[in-house]
Amino acid sequence: MSGRGPARRGVLTAAGLAAVAATAPQAHAAGPSGGGAGPSRWTTSWATAQTAPTATDTVASAGLTDGTCVANVRLSAGGAVRLRYGHAFGTVPVLIGPVTAGGLPVTFGGQRQAWIAAGASLTSDPVAGLRAAEAARLTVETRLPGPTGPLSFHRNTHASHSVDGERTTSVFLLTGVEVTGAHGPVVAVLGDSITEGVGTPDDADLRWPDQLARRLPGSAVANLGISGNRLLLDDARFGPGGQARFDRDVLSLPGLRTVLVHLGVNDLQQPPSQTDPALVLAGYRQLVLRARNAGRRAVGATIAPFGGWTRWTPELEAVRQRINAAVRTGRVFDAVVDFDAALRDPERPSLMLPAYDSGDGLHPNPSGHAALAAAVDRRHLL
């Protein structure tokens, strides 16, 4: 169908593999005009969604005293830079700072340190002298004088960071890098482990949201995937479900135009399994309603095949097929990305193509992630 705005609907299929981009430039210090002022329209160029630590997350559970967290993040859009911190699951305030981004000092209301309240967020001033290129890597170093108590964090970003010099794939408190230079689609991806990047190597930036950003110059793509996350139910380890975290993780993002929902497979395959398609579809419709009420578009992805996964059953496959059939009608979301069609084996549609399978039957490999990125049509993100 033609047209723009939330009323437009469409169904998309894979359009081939996206090329793997060459190593991107680094964020760099600008001249005096590159900091503080800049354009006023901020968008999230990099983001991550938080969960509460469990007993096995030793660093996040214990917290830090006089600790230093270094996060190495891959931006999508560029421009002037500011940082956003969150402590969604905190129980006490935490003192943050001093902080540097790209080696330059970060301030909060002109001060080098600031408190973040339990359950709150904290946004920095624009970083004076820093202007990031599209797809740049940015290093953020955060001092936490502490004692902090347990820290809200993202467990596995599939990228290398450090805490007090020790490598980790977790990011603590930092939830976003915001920029002013987006001139393409501004998209948040609400997803699970496939969105998070399981099946791709660490530090390769081959997650499908990364590859989507490279296909769309000037776009800002926020990866809000949490491994194990579900649409309907919360989990102590895998975090609040998509329904519960939608307002905080998605609708709070500045400059957001479109949310792409890629949740549902864990509702089917994680115990307790959801075997009523109507409940999953009702959950999708609630997200669409909330997105439209906030002036955003909602694009939905079909549930990809998982026939090789250990908990797959023919009964769950029938549920997946019924959900996907309803989503493809175009009467649930404003537009549809057909991830099922992008990955499935035509001869055995309950399975991924072997060329796309990371080996566990559920998570695609880098080529599969490229196929997912290629299945997204820019026209449905504007």
Side-chain angles (χ1 to χ4, degrees), residues 302-381:
T302 53
I303 300 174
F306 66 104
W309 181 245
T310 181
R311 287 196 287 267
W312 179 90
T313 66
E315 292 75 20
L316 293 181
E317 177 66 14
V319 176
R320 184 181 78 91
Q321 294 289 354
R322 289 176 62 188
I323 293 170
N324 284 351
V327 169
R328 288 191 184 101
T329 65
R331 293 192 292 270
V332 178
F333 293 96
D334 298 320
V336 179
V337 180
D338 202 340
F339 281 176
D340 175 37
L343 293 183
R344 72 184 177 220
D345 185 336
E347 302 299 322
R348 299 175 298 170
S350 67
L351 300 173
M352 262 189 286
L353 277 168
Y356 292 159
D357 192 346
S358 68
D360 64 13
L362 173 62
H363 300 100
N365 61 21
S367 294
H369 279 259
L372 295 179
V376 182
D377 191 321
R378 177 191 181 98
R379 293 171 298 174
H380 292 278
L381 301 179

Side-chain angles (χ1 to χ4, degrees), residues 97-376:
V99 175
T100 63
L104 296 172
V106 177
T107 58
F108 305 85
Q111 304 300 310
R112 293 300 311 278
Q113 292 182 308
W115 289 91
I116 183 169
S121 64
L122 174 70
T123 301
S124 78
D125 303 327
V127 182
L130 180 63
R131 191 167 189 87
E134 287 184 17
R137 283 192 183 276
L138 179 69
T139 297
V140 177
E141 183 172 311
T142 304
R143 172 83 174 278
L144 298 176
T148 64
L151 292 168
S152 305
F153 79 133
H154 187 100
R155 185 173 290 107
N156 189 0
T157 65
H158 301 278
S160 295
H161 318 288
S162 68
V163 176
D164 292 338
E166 298 292 326
R167 181 185 181 274
T168 179
T169 58
S170 300
V171 170
F172 302 85
L173 296 182
L174 183 69
T175 58
V177 178
E178 299 171 1
V179 301
T180 57
H183 53 85
V186 180
V187 184
V189 184
L190 183 71
D192 50 34
S193 57
I194 297 175
T195 296
E196 186 191 66
V198 173
T200 67
D202 290 352
D203 302 314
D205 301 315
L206 293 176
R207 300 161 291 240
W208 74 261
D210 297 321
Q211 300 198 50
L212 176 63
R214 291 197 288 269
R215 286 187 55 234
L216 305 175
S219 63
V221 179
N223 185 335
L224 302 173
I226 298 176
S227 186
N229 203 230
R230 300 166 70 128
L231 173 68
L232 300 177
L233 297 182
D234 301 344
D235 185 272
R237 181 166 181 81
F238 303 134
Q243 296 277 322
R245 67 187 181 98
F246 191 67
D247 289 11
R248 179 184 66 246
D249 288 351
V250 175
L251 296 185
S252 67
L253 299 182
L256 180 66
R257 171 58 181 148
T258 302
V259 54
L260 197 162
V261 178
H262 184 211
L263 287 171
V265 69
N266 290 324
D267 293 80
L268 274 58
Q269 65 88 20
Q270 283 182 183
S273 294
Q274 178 52 256
T275 58
D276 185 350
L279 292 180
V280 174
L281 293 168
Y284 288 154
R285 290 189 177 98
Q286 282 298 307
L287 294 185
V288 173
L289 178 62
R290 289 156 69 183
R292 289 175 179 169
N293 286 344
R296 275 76 163 184
R297 288 174 51 76
V299 177
T302 53
I303 300 174
F306 66 104
W309 181 245
T310 181
R311 287 196 287 267
W312 179 90
T313 66
E315 292 75 20
L316 293 181
E317 177 66 14
V319 176
R320 184 181 78 91
Q321 294 289 354
R322 289 176 62 188
I323 293 170
N324 284 351
V327 169
R328 288 191 184 101
T329 65
R331 293 192 292 270
V332 178
F333 293 96
D334 298 320
V336 179
V337 180
D338 202 340
F339 281 176
D340 175 37
L343 293 183
R344 72 184 177 220
D345 185 336
E347 302 299 322
R348 299 175 298 170
S350 67
L351 300 173
M352 262 189 286
L353 277 168
Y356 292 159
D357 192 346
S358 68
D360 64 13
L362 173 62
H363 300 100
N365 61 21
S367 294
H369 279 259
L372 295 179
V376 182

